Amino acid sequence: ASDVSELTDSLLVGETANLGDPESWEETGPNGRSLPRPWDADTTIRGFDFYDGKVGVTDSHFVAFQNRAQRPAGALSVLNFTDFSLDTDNYASGLTFHPSTKRVYLENRAIPTDPDDGEDGYRSAVFHDIDGSVSGQAGVAITINNPILYDGSCTYRLEWNAWVCPRDFTALLVDDRSDTSTTVGPIVVTRQDGPSHTVIGRPDDGPNDHFRTSVRNGYSYTVDPSGSWTSHYQIRTYEISPGEWLHVTLQDANGPIHIYRDWWIDERNRLEPVGSLNALLASDGQAYYRSGSELHLKLVPRDDREWTALDICSSAGC
């Protein structure tokens, strides 16, 4: 699922006339229908789950995905509450739906407190409606109900519990590369106009060291660790188009630092400081700006790439 894959030319049916043959002890649905997870009877019936990526579904038909009192349903959804990152370029096109089929359903629940159950991938889920066959608007994105993902340009679809937005999303990542027991996260990502999102981190044997969320382009973001920045960490973007960039401010970035671009720990890739935020924002990204404990970065892809990375190291080196 982490490689490019696609479901195409398919028929997806939520429920048929076959009621199954449930065990006597199992909870059942209407008319005694067997359930796919009788121990979890309110599980959403879903036709295609977006997961990892880049993945898509094309030229397919969905039928019999309908809400019932016992559980909701949706033809398109996201693997429920997955911790792992989802590609912002996941996509759908050429889809048709039976008139009674609900096209999308994206659930919500409270953010967990267990650091090994962060659900970050699910909480930043975005997929691209290429031709408008899902939403009726070609080229838009459909996003989970998370305030950092939508703004006034988006429309809420109550029956989907999802937002339809102009498609201008990218992935923002923080990776702790120090191999220490220091706790960096959870981190809080805040958009310049107020909405924030807590990123728990991908589950790990020790402290979580990989924090990723989707964000909207055209805004500045502040990243605030609940723990401490380590001696070597990396800030990255993925799925960002050439010509676009992100302004990111790291809070509590104290002490001497060295910043290197695009994974190469080499003096030729080392960024130099500039004297003002305006100077940074006017630059090509080959610089940084410090203001007290705030570290301002401009993340710009180079060479027609769809990613960029900055390694940030203490005075001891990477």
Side-chain angles (χ1 to χ4, degrees):
S2 60
D3 293 326
V4 175
S5 59
E6 181 180 276
L7 174 69
T8 190
D9 297 321
S10 299
L11 169 67
L12 296 96
V13 182
E15 292 181 313
T16 71
N18 184 351
L19 299 180
D21 187 19
E23 300 288 348
S24 60
W25 50 265
E26 290 183 359
E27 185 169 351
T28 60
N31 302 315
R33 173 181 295 278
S34 61
L35 300 175
R37 294 166 58 92
W39 61 90
D40 193 10
D42 61 353
T43 296
T44 303
I45 301 296
R46 306 186 301 272
F48 182 87
D49 276 346
F50 291 99
Y51 176 51
D52 279 15
K54 183 178 179 181
V55 299
V57 55
T58 65
D59 302 328
S60 297
H61 183 70
F62 295 80
V63 61
F65 294 92
Q66 297 171 299
N67 284 353
R68 300 195 184 281
Q70 189 177 48
R71 52 98 187 120
L76 301 175
S77 191
V78 175
L79 183 67
N80 261 10
F81 310 118
T82 176
D83 304 292
F84 295 97
S85 308
L86 278 76
D87 197 304
T88 60
D89 289 333
N90 285 345
Y91 62 94
S93 72
L95 304 187
T96 54
F97 304 86
H98 187 274
S100 63
T101 282
K102 188 165 72 171
R103 300 186 177 198
V104 177
Y105 184 64
L106 303 177
E107 299 182 52
N108 275 103
R109 67 181 184 184
I111 296 177
T113 57
D114 185 341
D116 286 334
D117 191 18
E119 306 177 1
D120 292 335
Y122 187 87
R123 296 181 190 283
S124 61
V126 173
F127 69 90
H128 181 199
D129 182 8
I130 293 176
D131 60 353
S133 57
V134 180
S135 66
Q137 300 172 253
V140 298
I142 297 172
T143 82
I144 198 167
N145 190 6
N146 180 342
I148 203 170
L149 299 179
Y150 60 80
D151 60 15
S153 68
C154 304
T155 303
Y156 182 56
R157 298 282 182 94
L158 177 63
E159 69 278 15
W160 297 358
N161 190 37
W163 292 78
V164 178
C165 300
R167 183 180 172 265
D168 55 352
F169 289 86
T170 188
L172 176 63
L173 298 86
V174 175
D175 265 330
D176 175 15
R177 303 178 68 82
S178 64
D179 195 26
T180 68
S181 59
T182 301
T183 299
V184 175
I187 67 170
V188 177
V189 180
T190 303
R191 204 170 70 194
Q192 68 189 64
D193 57 340
S196 65
H197 174 51
T198 298
V199 187
I200 303 292
R202 185 175 64 195
D204 207 343
D205 291 336
N208 292 349
D209 57 8
H210 178 95
F211 306 87
R212 170 169 167 156
T213 185
S214 304
V215 294
R216 292 186 62 81
N217 293 330
Y219 289 96
S220 296
Y221 294 88
T222 298
V223 179
D224 197 352
S226 59
S228 302
W229 296 115
T230 60
S231 60
H232 181 190
Y233 54 98
Q234 190 177 78
I235 309 299
R236 283 184 272 165
T237 63
Y238 279 113
E239 300 115 41
I240 188 168
S241 301
E244 295 181 332
W245 52 272
L246 284 181
H247 168 216
V248 176
T249 303
L250 305 184
Q251 299 284 3
D252 297 325
N254 297 302
I257 58 172
H258 304 295
I259 305 176
Y260 303 89
R261 181 152 189 176
D262 294 348
W263 276 292
W264 300 108
I265 309 303
D266 185 290
E267 287 303 303
R268 291 169 293 181
N269 275 355
R270 184 172 166 183
L271 273 57
E272 296 297 331
V274 292
S276 70
L277 179 57
N278 286 339
L280 172 67
L281 298 181
S283 75
D284 62 358
Q286 291 292 105
Y288 67 92
Y289 171 62
R290 298 281 297 269
S291 177
S293 63
E294 292 185 341
L295 173 61
H296 296 265
L297 304 169
K298 183 178 181 181
L299 303 180
V300 185
R302 295 192 297 182
D303 306 325
D304 294 325
R305 301 172 185 170
E306 292 185 351
W307 59 268
T308 188
L310 297 178
D311 273 279
I312 303 170
C313 307
S314 72
S315 56
C318 288

